Amino acid sequence: MKPEQTYQHLKDLAERLEISVLEKSFRNAGINIQSGFCIIRDKNVLVMDKHLPIRKKIRLIASVLSKLSFDDIYILPAIREVIEGEKGA
């Protein structure tokens, strides 16, 4: 599976788990900002720098998803493998 497809599957899964994925430019923020998971106004949000390489975006989303339970949701085996790979990281 191409990295872009993997990223889209992970992003879709996050949305199904009620995690909004926002890609923003951090270049002109004026302060040091890092991508990550947070709660804003009682909503789960994953904010990431839109300029990150696709593989880093995949690892970031997979890392957040690896901490959640989604046993009752069908996930493609390749996507599940990516998420499982982040559990020990």
Side-chain angles (χ1 to χ4, degrees), residues 10-80:
L10 289 168
K11 193 172 171 182
D12 292 345
L13 176 60
E15 296 288 342
R16 289 190 347 222
L17 294 170
E18 298 182 358
I19 299 172
S20 297
V21 179
L22 302 177
E23 292 186 57
K24 300 289 183 182
S25 177
F26 294 168
R27 289 185 177 172
N28 297 325
I31 58 173
N32 186 17
I33 300 174
Q34 292 186 357
S35 300
F37 177 80
C38 60
I39 298 173
I40 302 173
R41 296 186 182 166
D42 296 324
K43 300 211 185 274
N44 297 321
V45 181
L46 174 58
V47 181
M48 73 174 73
D49 187 345
K50 72 178 185 179
H51 301 290
L52 286 175
I54 191 77
R55 296 206 185 276
K56 286 189 178 184
K57 290 180 183 182
I58 289 169
R59 289 198 67 201
L60 181 62
I61 295 177
S63 176
V64 169
L65 294 176
S66 73
K67 295 170 179 60
L68 303 175
S69 173
F70 43 81
D71 294 333
D72 57 338
I73 298 174
Y74 175 76
I75 302 170
L76 291 171
I79 300 304
R80 188 175 294 272

